[in-house]
Amino acid sequence: DQVLRIVANSEEQINLLRALEKQMEKKVDFWHHPSRPGHPADLQVSSSSLQDVKIFLEFHNISYSIMIKDVQELLDEEKENMTKSRRMERSTSTFDFASYHTLEEIYHWMDTLVRDHPNLVSKIQIGQSYEKRPLYVLKFSTGGTNRSAIWMDTGIHAREWITQATGVWTANKLAEEYGHDPSVTSILDSMDIFLEIIANPDGFAFTHRCNRLWRKTRSLNVESDCVGVDPNRNWNVGFGGSGSSSEPCSETYRGPYPHSESEVKAIVDFICGHGHVKSVISIHSYSQMLLFPYGYKRSPAAHHQELNELAKKAVSDMAAVYGTKYIYGSIADTIYVADGTTIDWAYDHGVKFSFTLELRDKGRYGFLLPSSQIIPTATETWPALVDIMVHVLENPY
Amino acid sequence: SAAMELEASGAVGGRVAALATGYLGYRRGGPGRGLELRSLRRARRQDVCDVGHKYYLELELQDIQDKDSTISCTAEVLYHLGTKSLAPDVQVTLQGELREAEEEEKEFYNRIRSLDKELVAENIPDSHGHVPPEMEPIFLLARAASGYVIWQNSTENTKFQLAQIKEVKQVKRSDEYLEFDYMILLHEMVSQEIIPWQMRVLWHPQHGVQVTQDKRQPKHPSG
């Protein structure tokens, strides 16, 4: 079967089409009835009558084009898509936390989390990615006004798949533990938590579609074939130093100017607009490290001692779960000099408890961490997150 | 004369340790054995005038296939001043025995020798981190061989890891050696670059791993 788009140019031609319909009742079907001259009418024609109908139209000089070349093909495709989304629907109520998921699957799951915990979780949109994907943040809140808040993000670097997966597990854990775990309950009774699970959706989609090891955003660069900016070098702190690159083809390209990336700007605007964010925890992989400012300079942060002590405790509590060893310290001391980073920006904008986590592993699988390690990784990371949040709760500023 | 020794920062120490581990993996690793860094206990640096920077490391390694193994070792690494083409000098001393891998290696050797067609594989691990069990020795062999490439191309400002085997093709041989042509992806931590690298690897149970030829490949611009 084909679907023809027919444009009658006169009342006379409209009448002819109506007569055609009457005459070939069982063989043709108007999806869009002919109404006025100049307006398209869509006609499904069975394959056996195609030639006759086309001859008729051509004889009467009625212009048409082929809108759908093969209706059966289209039906089969639609059916497949519906089966897929039905599979998704089934799987979100029994969501597999031990697998890596696509962007669509995670966005879909976020809606079910909100649906299942309407008094605790809501979804807000803080902006759009370069390719116009929505930037969604889950808000965990038990009410109140002007509450202090904790910000967490995962997936700012697309290829670090363990982080988005950990974000999903952690969101679920937070929803489950409120009202049960005393620490989580105390935290959420006074503070809000904001969790952006997919901070770089364009990059994430690209890792599924084309290049599993893509890191940056997918913004097009002027005068370069190379795509993307490193969203963890694009923040307005120490911008343009030796800890980032001015080359668009580089994995640590800082971008044409600070906050050029909509993915970064959205978080900046959110945190500045909120006004009461007391902690930023930005989650990356890999290396097994818990890091705090600064990355852009070697000199210690004003709160180095307190951050160091908190990191030491968090790392010890992580090791207690499965024996996984993390090292800790400032970014510059522990990993490398990096400027324009998320947590340096947050810290220099008054967010004292700013940490970056580099999750499993130390290089054996690196970015390609086996999915069998998702739940163990998220499970051991959880006490570190709780330690930080409890410390924020107990040390208001 | 040698200047006094200073404690190296965690960041630099980590890079030197990764180099030493890669080097040892090349010398002592193979399809039956992979070594990785468990912890860096100490890293000291000494500036040797007109020569370069020398590092003294105390390391703990572990056998990939034995999570609880701990192999203490010391390493001396000299990064040569100026000359970019000179690979660092590396010496590693083990304080203990490595696990026997003879059985696994013999089994792998016989299995490959008895294949009807030359082995071909790609994307190890795959996107989900999965390595088919029969490909594990191919993965370990790539790790060992990449240790050579890492050793030859490291500086104090680089930290390389094997990220993935893009493709591996067995090369037919008339002698007793096994030969594989690998296209690997290296991840360099400081620049965060993913660097494609081609290497020809020779292996025999009695003669260890040898990289006979290797070449850095160009990167694709838009991903």
Side-chain angles (χ1 to χ4, degrees):
Chain A
D1 287 15
Q2 281 188 1
V3 176
L4 307 177
R5 176 151 281 183
I6 303 166
V7 187
N9 63 11
S10 64
E11 274 304 325
E12 199 191 347
Q13 288 197 343
I14 303 248
N15 290 333
L16 281 167
L17 291 172
R18 291 200 181 120
L20 175 75
E21 189 188 12
K22 249 203 173 129
Q23 208 179 346
M24 303 186 78
E25 217 179 294
K26 299 232 171 30
K27 306 290 182 82
V28 302
D29 181 25
F30 272 109
W31 289 13
H32 254 113
H33 277 87
S35 50
R36 292 201 302 276
H39 282 244
D42 295 338
L43 181 70
Q44 180 175 352
V45 184
S46 68
S47 359
S48 55
S49 312
L50 254 179
Q51 211 180 26
D52 289 340
V53 170
K54 285 179 181 174
I55 289 170
F56 173 86
L57 293 171
E58 280 156 28
F59 180 77
H60 291 286
N61 259 317
I62 304 174
S63 70
Y64 73 94
S65 58
I66 300 170
M67 201 175 87
I68 297 173
K69 242 178 91 176
D70 189 334
V71 177
Q72 189 53 49
E73 206 181 286
L74 194 70
L75 288 175
D76 289 346
E77 210 186 300
E78 263 180 42
K79 196 163 160 214
E80 216 206 320
N81 286 338
M82 268 172 29
T83 317
K84 265 193 205 146
S85 61
R86 246 183 274 125
R87 235 182 275 137
M88 241 201 272
E89 195 60 54
R90 232 184 291 131
S91 75
T92 47
S93 56
T94 51
F95 191 81
D96 184 5
F97 293 99
S99 287
Y100 290 114
H101 291 277
T102 64
L103 183 77
E104 292 75 24
E105 287 167 355
I106 293 175
Y107 275 6
H108 198 240
W109 176 82
M110 281 165 56
D111 288 337
T112 63
L113 186 75
V114 169
R115 186 197 65 201
D116 291 346
H117 301 272
N119 297 321
L120 180 65
V121 194
S122 57
K123 185 179 86 173
I124 60 178
Q125 182 172 345
I126 61 168
Q128 279 186 321
S129 69
Y130 183 84
E131 290 171 350
K132 301 284 178 271
R133 291 183 174 85
L135 298 170
Y136 289 133
V137 173
L138 291 175
K139 176 181 181 181
F140 296 79
S141 178
T142 58
T145 46
N146 288 332
R147 281 190 176 177
S148 291
I150 312 237
W151 168 276
M152 282 198 274
D153 59 74
T154 52
I156 210 168
H157 286 143
R159 61 193 180 199
E160 298 165 9
W161 277 19
I162 185 59
T163 71
Q164 297 95 336
T166 296
V168 169
W169 186 96
T170 303
N172 187 65
K173 183 78 168 167
L174 282 168
E176 277 187 347
E177 292 296 353
Y178 176 73
H180 298 101
D181 178 280
S183 302
V184 175
T185 308
S186 314
I187 291 163
L188 283 170
D189 278 345
S190 325
M191 301 196 298
D192 295 341
I193 298 172
F194 294 93
L195 173 48
E196 186 181 18
I197 295 175
I198 303 181
N200 178 4
D202 296 350
F204 189 54
F206 197 71
T207 58
H208 278 275
R209 203 174 67 247
C210 295
N211 180 354
R212 173 63 177 83
L213 295 174
W214 187 259
R215 167 185 170 89
K216 302 187 285 181
T217 62
R218 292 293 299 168
S219 55
L220 297 177
N221 291 305
V222 182
E223 288 174 18
S224 173
D225 280 341
C226 291
V227 175
V229 167
D230 185 340
N232 201 27
R233 300 290 185 279
N234 185 240
W235 300 71
N236 194 15
V237 60
F239 187 87
S242 60
S244 60
S245 172
S246 58
E247 288 298 317
C249 297
S250 166
E251 295 281 24
T252 55
Y253 174 48
R254 62 180 73 112
Y257 54 87
H259 307 171
S260 60
E261 302 313 282
S262 59
E263 295 84 352
V264 170
K265 183 91 169 53
I267 304 175
V268 169
D269 289 346
F270 177 82
I271 291 176
C272 290
H274 186 280
H276 302 281
V277 173
K278 300 299 176 186
S279 173
V280 164
I281 305 170
S282 192
I283 301 179
H284 292 252
S285 80
Y286 59 92
S287 282
Q288 291 175 204
M289 294 175 178
L290 177 49
L291 307 167
F292 47 85
Y294 287 109
Y296 79 95
K297 54 183 177 178
R298 297 294 303 267
S299 51
H303 307 98
H304 178 98
Q305 186 147 343
E306 185 179 3
L307 296 175
N308 200 61
E309 282 302 306
L310 180 51
K312 185 175 178 182
K313 176 177 180 13
V315 150
S316 163
D317 288 343
M318 269 199 278
V321 184
Y322 298 117
T324 308
K325 288 199 170 65
Y326 272 58
I327 60 178
Y328 61 96
S330 74
I331 297 173
D333 281 344
T334 315
I335 191 168
Y336 41 52
V337 169
D339 43 66
T341 64
T342 307
I343 67 166
D344 279 2
W345 175 86
Y347 185 76
D348 275 1
H349 280 76
V351 184
K352 192 202 298 188
F353 300 110
S354 293
F355 289 94
T356 281
L357 267 162
E358 295 277 355
L359 300 181
R360 289 193 195 183
D361 58 13
K362 289 196 307 217
R364 185 195 308 191
Y365 291 98
F367 300 121
L368 306 180
L369 195 71
S371 49
S372 55
Q373 292 195 41
I374 295 174
I375 294 184
T377 302
T379 303
E380 77 194 357
T381 306
W382 171 253
L385 298 175
V386 174
D387 281 345
I388 294 171
M389 293 193 287
V390 164
H391 189 91
V392 175
L393 176 71
E394 294 174 350
N395 295 274
Y397 64 94
Chain B
S1 61
M4 72 171 193
E5 288 173 13
L6 303 160
E7 293 300 321
S9 79
V12 178
R15 289 170 217 162
V16 187
L19 163 61
T21 306
Y23 172 86
L24 189 68
Y26 178 56
R27 287 276 181 249
R28 304 296 298 272
R33 185 199 283 136
L35 295 167
E36 63 177 0
L37 182 69
R38 196 186 172 88
S39 68
L40 171 64
R41 289 204 156 293
R42 199 172 177 200
R44 287 165 296 153
R45 170 183 141 159
Q46 194 183 67
D47 290 352
V48 184
C49 293
D50 295 332
V51 178
H53 298 154
K54 193 162 191 185
Y55 289 84
Y56 298 88
L57 305 178
E58 290 168 30
L59 307 168
E60 263 175 18
L61 302 177
Q62 77 184 39
D63 186 315
I64 281 179
Q65 285 150 324
D66 183 1
K67 217 174 76 99
D68 298 319
S69 61
T70 303
I71 307 141
S72 293
C73 61
T74 58
E76 278 179 30
V77 177
L78 173 63
Y79 293 97
H80 296 274
L81 264 181
T83 339
K84 290 237 167 113
S85 55
L86 255 188
D89 295 343
V90 186
Q91 261 180 7
V92 182
T93 309
L94 292 173
Q95 272 119 37
E97 295 290 308
L98 291 175
R99 186 186 60 92
E100 274 305 312
E102 231 179 81
E103 283 296 311
E104 292 107 317
E105 299 204 327
K106 202 89 215 269
E107 202 192 290
F108 169 70
Y109 181 75
N110 291 333
R111 176 160 61 89
I112 302 297
R113 291 275 285 179
S114 64
L115 289 175
D116 292 326
K117 274 177 66 178
E118 280 76 49
L119 181 145
V120 175
E122 50 183 33
N123 291 334
I124 299 166
D126 67 13
S127 283
H128 295 234
H130 181 61
V131 176
E134 69 273 15
M135 287 298 155
E136 190 66 35
I138 292 284
F139 186 37
L140 289 174
L141 180 60
R143 277 187 68 89
S146 68
Y148 172 79
V149 176
I150 289 170
W151 165 35
Q152 295 291 305
N153 293 276
S154 285
T155 70
E156 281 159 286
N157 295 312
T158 63
K159 187 175 181 190
F160 289 101
Q161 290 284 350
L162 172 66
Q164 191 183 39
I165 300 169
K166 268 327 260 181
E167 198 182 11
V168 55
K169 291 189 203 159
Q170 183 183 359
V171 179
K172 206 179 164 89
R173 283 190 77 89
S174 52
D175 60 18
E176 288 176 356
Y177 282 81
L178 295 185
E179 187 174 5
F180 299 92
D181 196 303
Y182 281 95
M183 182 65 75
I184 60 171
L185 296 177
L186 289 176
H187 172 229
E188 200 290 292
M189 185 69 78
V190 178
S191 65
Q192 289 294 340
E193 296 296 332
I194 301 293
I195 307 165
W197 213 290
Q198 176 267 333
M199 53 183 196
R200 270 294 176 102
V201 181
L202 218 53
W203 178 74
H204 185 279
Q206 264 98 64
H207 303 300
V209 182
Q210 225 189 314
V211 174
T212 54
Q213 179 260 326
D214 71 277
K215 189 162 185 219
R216 183 180 178 137
Q217 304 294 302
K219 179 174 126 166
H220 193 285
S222 64

